[in-house]
Amino acid sequence: MFLADCQARLAFDLISNTWTAVVVWSLRHGPRRPGDLRTEIGGISPKVLTETLRRLESNGLVARRSYAEAPPRVEYDLTDLGRTLLGPIGALGEWAFDHADEVLAAQDRRIRAPMPRSNG
Amino acid sequence: MFLADCQARLAFDLISNTWTAVVVWSLRHGPRRPGDLRTEIGGISPKVLTETLRRLESNGLVARRSYAEAPPRVEYDLTDLGRTLLGPIGALGEWAFDHADEVLAAQDRRIRAPMPRSNG
DNA sequence: CGGAATCCTATATGATACTG
DNA sequence: CAGTATCATATAGGATTCCG
């Protein structure tokens, strides 16, 4: 497996958007309405949520169902294909859970020591 | 584990750049020089490669070593922390390898049937 | 409520040329 | 060879407003 290959690049293009992985993860337990997603995720604008869901739909990871009711009701659900992505996304999330502090510490060091060639 | 959390978002911000995951993966077998990386990866400009490596360095995932030689020699290597990221990245790459065709098929369907509400 | 349209800004990427 | 500087462009993200 070569990540430089187009096939592997595909996976990264898929979830490289800021909210894509978060939205997929928010759908892991079943169908959700956009309003619920916005509440659960927080900080995502309606436009961006819609764009993200549409992109996921285009890639066959999410299915959209709308009900002819008033007020209108719409639900998004992971497809079988979308569910297969939960594993890798979960692995990445777990990694973050385990190593976030180390990354933050490294970032911190960069702030504190950005100029090693001082005159001392 | 909640992907909406800042901690989990961190992981996605880390590899959400186009080349980040590819560069990390290219370093999986040991230290590499920038020129080698450019050759192996292909299609990445010197500027973007440098930016990517610098970002990885800032996050503690990659270490830079330069040798006082002529011509100048520089090597980049994964840190211990960086190596822990190979698992999740590999999982994503494997997913792509297994499901790329399905994603492409879904994209294809969108192209072929973009207007379900024709007059038929 | 869902979501489309509009406007705006920040950033990532890329091509190129130059410096050490 | 490594890395920076500059310029240009595409796109993502965000805020807001209006429509069904």
Side-chain angles (χ1 to χ4, degrees):
Chain A
M1 191 254 304
F2 302 99
L3 281 193
D5 284 357
C6 290
Q7 300 241 331
R9 292 281 303 282
L10 178 72
F12 296 99
D13 290 343
L14 274 183
I15 70 157
S16 68
N17 294 90
T18 304
W19 298 104
T20 303
V22 179
V23 169
V24 170
W25 194 251
S26 297
L27 290 171
R28 71 192 177 286
H29 292 316
R32 291 286 184 276
R33 303 178 62 174
D36 298 332
L37 290 174
R38 292 194 58 195
T39 301
E40 181 183 336
I41 294 172
I44 186 173
S45 73
K47 188 197 103 177
V48 174
L49 176 61
T50 298
E51 284 174 356
T52 303
L53 288 166
R54 288 257 184 284
R55 188 166 32 236
L56 286 168
E57 207 188 347
S58 299
N59 292 325
L61 301 172
V62 157
R64 176 185 187 275
R65 250 180 324 181
S66 69
Y67 301 84
E69 302 176 1
R73 187 159 70 96
V74 174
E75 282 183 352
Y76 290 90
D77 195 8
L78 290 178
T79 61
D80 289 339
L81 178 58
R83 261 180 288 275
T84 64
L85 195 51
L86 288 176
I89 288 179
L92 217 39
E94 226 176 293
W95 180 89
F97 186 81
D98 293 337
H99 301 284
D101 55 334
E102 300 172 63
V103 173
L104 293 175
Q107 290 174 355
D108 234 47
R109 272 191 294 278
R110 298 287 294 192
I111 294 171
R112 243 192 288 282
M115 303 178 298
R117 62 190 208 56
S118 66
N119 49 11
Chain B
M1 191 255 304
F2 302 99
L3 280 193
D5 285 356
C6 290
Q7 300 242 329
R9 293 280 304 283
L10 178 73
F12 296 98
D13 291 343
L14 274 183
I15 70 157
S16 69
N17 295 90
T18 304
W19 299 104
T20 303
V22 179
V23 169
V24 169
W25 194 251
S26 297
L27 290 172
R28 69 194 177 286
H29 293 315
R32 290 288 183 276
R33 302 178 61 172
D36 299 332
L37 290 174
R38 291 195 56 194
T39 301
E40 180 182 337
I41 294 172
I44 187 173
S45 71
K47 190 196 97 177
V48 174
L49 176 60
T50 299
E51 284 174 356
T52 303
L53 288 166
R54 289 257 185 284
R55 187 165 33 235
L56 286 167
E57 207 189 345
S58 299
N59 292 325
L61 301 170
V62 158
R64 177 185 187 275
R65 249 180 325 182
S66 69
Y67 302 83
E69 302 175 2
R73 187 160 69 97
V74 174
E75 282 183 351
Y76 290 90
D77 195 8
L78 290 178
T79 61
D80 289 339
L81 178 59
R83 261 182 288 275
T84 65
L85 195 50
L86 288 176
I89 288 179
L92 217 38
E94 226 176 293
W95 180 90
F97 185 81
D98 293 339
H99 299 285
D101 55 334
E102 301 172 63
V103 173
L104 294 176
Q107 290 173 354
D108 234 48
R109 272 192 294 278
R110 298 286 293 190
I111 293 171
R112 243 193 288 283
M115 302 180 299
R117 62 189 208 56
S118 66
N119 49 13

